[in-house]
Amino acid sequence: MLGGMQDFELRVPRLLDHAAREHATRRIVTRWADGRETRTDWAGIARDARRFAQALEGLGIAPGDRIATLAMNHTNHLIAWYGTIGMGGVVHTINPRLFDDQLEYIANHAGDRVLLYDKTFQPIVDRLKPRWTSIEHFIAFDDAGFEALLDAESGDYAWREGSERDPCMLCYTSGTTGNPKGVLYEHRSTVLHAMNATQPWVLGLSSRDTILPIVPMFHAAAWGLPFAAPLAGAALVFSQTNDAAVLCDLMTAENVTLGSGVPTVWLAFFQHIDAGGTVPPALKQITVGGSAAPRAMLARFLDLGIKPTHLWGMTETSPVATAFAPRPDWDEMHRDAQLDVICRQGAIPFGIELRIVDDDGRELPRDGSVSGRLQVRGPWIVKRYFGADADAVDADSWFDTGDVALLHPDGTMQITDRAKDVIKSGGEWISSVDLENAAVGCPGVAEAAAIGVAHPRWDERPLLVVVRKPGSDVTADAILGHLSGHVAKWWLPDEIVFVEELPHTATGKLLKTVLRERFKDYRLHAA
Ligand code: ADP
């Protein structure tokens, strides 16, 4: 027997239609790299997305076809997302910071038929054009080409209907090892993920919000914000560049209430503030994730009265899975205890199920003391990678995240490391993340990476690689002294080396593989 309720497929274009109907004049602003600013609103985006859908059909694009973008955050990129999805296509966001071999691999693997790109990436396009085997149309976003495509269409177009389980977007993991893997989001998973993001225990979005997604649209769909914003009726502000001064200026000028970015973005933000910049007055919440947010950074936001929403997720989880949410006793908690909670990766919202297991796959207790491999399942979690011939989950739908975590009795989750980054010393695990976070709390330290190096007795011991803040001459002893107050004695790095710069992945994470390779023959003096 079927229930008596309506068929209402959870399709992405409904998000846009809702915004265009109920929040038509909420603005969408772009500050382009050349300083120009353009403004439209949800009604304008809906009209232009329809025109873009018509243009794609005019090019012979059919539902299910992949349309790639190689672009920063801006209005035209947003129009292309909704237009593509609205005509049944699949948006494939390509990360321009990938290496050529990866860029070649993913566009061919995805079978992209169209590439929309920013002129600043013209050199990539010129280099890879001969190696991309399926792309038929190359369209620049920021010259007359894109606008001319839209201008030629009427916008009189009805979205393609279909199943909520149809695909709508394809995102590849950055692939620090092996080839990148594609995660094929569907309409339903995207809408559910957007509904989750707007909840009070996640981002608490409403039409009073103005959102600046600093996280790139090519990185896990800008954490889903371009889908959550129309659902909430929020305004969106984009910057084509990631310069801290420009971002701060834009946040102030546009009364941005929520900014989203990885920790390095917020480090640059505070460097700008410390050099005389003003804290954007309307900013009431920031989200930070992608890698662990340092405690000192979270504390600064807290002291400024800006809610630091620490998120955890990955491309495979759409990407937001857990988020900081104040507990019932929040107001009575001491500031240090509050910070302890914010440093964790958040609470578990409805729709996400987590568990931790040991190396034999046995479930571990949620007592906040034993860490294990973190597994996740839910309606916006990957089941099978694009083009793969086997599922990426076990028989009970658990997906192994590759992260190591603690589950606390109060329902919060704490990432302690990535499975491949933990430092295994004498059979015990040292969290490289905890060491790094403690180290960046030391005055004079700009950034730090902890890696395990070979030790004859302990198997591995931690080596801390540090970048000093400009003008600082902080010493190894000073850092060790600081660390002693924060981590167990046997966790203290055996040595500290100073470097000018640390290697990062295309998405701003520490590239531990490169560091491990660089220090693979490093001999500890004590060893
Ligand atoms: P990739 O896995 O290719 O680096 P993702 O963007 O999908 O790209 O990264 C997901 C990973 O980032 C997670 O598995 C986790 O290790 C890390 N991560 C994300 N958010 C956090 C966070 N708040 N704290 C610590 N690690 C995080």
Side-chain angles (χ1 to χ4, degrees), residues 242-282:
N242 272 346
D243 179 72
V246 172
L247 292 170
C248 277
D249 180 48
L250 200 50
M251 284 194 238
T252 300
E254 296 297 331
N255 288 314
V256 167
T257 58
L258 168 72
S260 280
V262 294
T264 46
V265 159
W266 298 118
L267 285 176
F269 170 87
F270 279 122
Q271 270 165 15
H272 173 73
I273 304 288
D274 290 342
T278 348
V279 177

Side-chain angles (χ1 to χ4, degrees), residues 371-428:
S371 61
R373 299 182 71 95
L374 182 65
Q375 300 189 330
V376 57
R377 64 182 182 190
W380 58 91
I381 308 300
V382 71
K383 177 177 170 196
R384 180 181 288 218
Y385 289 106
F386 180 65
D389 42 23
D391 286 350
V393 298
D394 71 12
D396 298 315
S397 292
W398 290 109
F399 173 74
D400 192 302
T401 63
D403 285 328
V404 177
L406 292 168
L407 291 175
H408 290 271
D410 68 355
T412 53
M413 186 275 283
Q414 180 183 359
I415 299 282
T416 56
D417 221 331
R418 299 209 82 172
K420 55 183 188 295
D421 292 341
V422 282
I423 300 161
K424 297 189 171 164
S425 174
E428 302 281 346

Side-chain angles (χ1 to χ4, degrees), residues 17-211:
D17 286 348
H18 168 77
R21 233 177 10 245
E22 317 303 337
H23 308 280
T25 59
R26 286 298 277 148
R27 68 197 190 288
I28 316 292
V29 179
T30 296
R31 174 85 60 92
W32 299 84
D34 60 8
R36 240 174 352 115
E37 213 164 79
T38 53
R39 314 176 85 81
T40 179
D41 53 25
W42 282 117
I45 298 289
R47 185 184 56 242
D48 287 341
R50 284 189 161 79
R51 292 160 133 186
F52 187 66
Q54 288 176 307
L56 284 179
E57 291 193 355
L59 293 176
I61 301 303
D65 284 348
R66 271 78 66 204
I67 308 301
T69 63
L70 187 68
M72 301 303 287
N73 294 1
H74 50 67
T75 308
N76 290 353
H77 199 169
L78 187 73
I79 293 167
W81 276 24
Y82 279 105
T84 301
I85 295 173
M87 59 75 56
V90 175
V91 179
H92 170 206
T93 47
I94 302 183
N95 182 342
R97 298 175 196 147
L98 296 177
F99 309 113
D100 280 6
D101 286 350
Q102 295 172 320
L103 288 167
E104 175 188 350
Y105 174 85
I106 64 171
N108 292 344
H109 186 260
D112 297 327
R113 290 191 62 194
V114 178
L115 176 72
L116 295 134
Y117 65 97
D118 285 358
K119 290 294 268 182
T120 162
F121 303 125
Q122 186 71 49
I124 299 182
V125 175
D126 292 341
R127 251 189 350 260
L128 285 154
K129 222 173 187 171
R131 292 158 67 179
W132 281 328
T133 52
S134 59
I135 304 176
E136 301 154 48
H137 306 279
F138 293 85
I139 302 163
F141 266 135
D142 42 3
D143 70 7
F146 184 77
E147 320 261 316
L149 266 186
L150 299 187
D151 287 344
E153 304 295 340
S154 66
D156 182 10
Y157 179 86
W159 304 129
R160 291 266 186 152
E161 294 299 336
S163 160
E164 61 181 17
R165 302 301 302 268
D166 285 346
C168 66
M169 190 161 221
L170 180 59
C171 296
Y172 281 75
T173 61
S174 15
T176 39
T177 52
N179 275 327
K181 296 193 279 277
V183 183
L184 191 60
Y185 303 149
E186 55 190 32
H187 286 259
R188 174 176 181 265
S189 69
T190 304
V191 171
L192 291 176
H193 179 265
M195 292 176 89
N196 177 59
T198 53
Q199 299 300 317
W201 48 87
V202 183
L203 301 183
L205 299 180
S206 78
S207 62
R208 301 176 68 190
D209 278 299
T210 299
I211 305 173

Side-chain angles (χ1 to χ4, degrees), residues 173-175 219 289-292 310-316 345 401 403 415 418 509:
T173 61
S174 15
H219 184 202
S291 49
H310 195 182
L311 303 171
W312 169 81
M314 56 203 311
T315 304
E316 287 87 339
Q345 278 69 16
T401 63
D403 285 328
I415 299 282
R418 299 209 82 172
K509 295 176 205 207

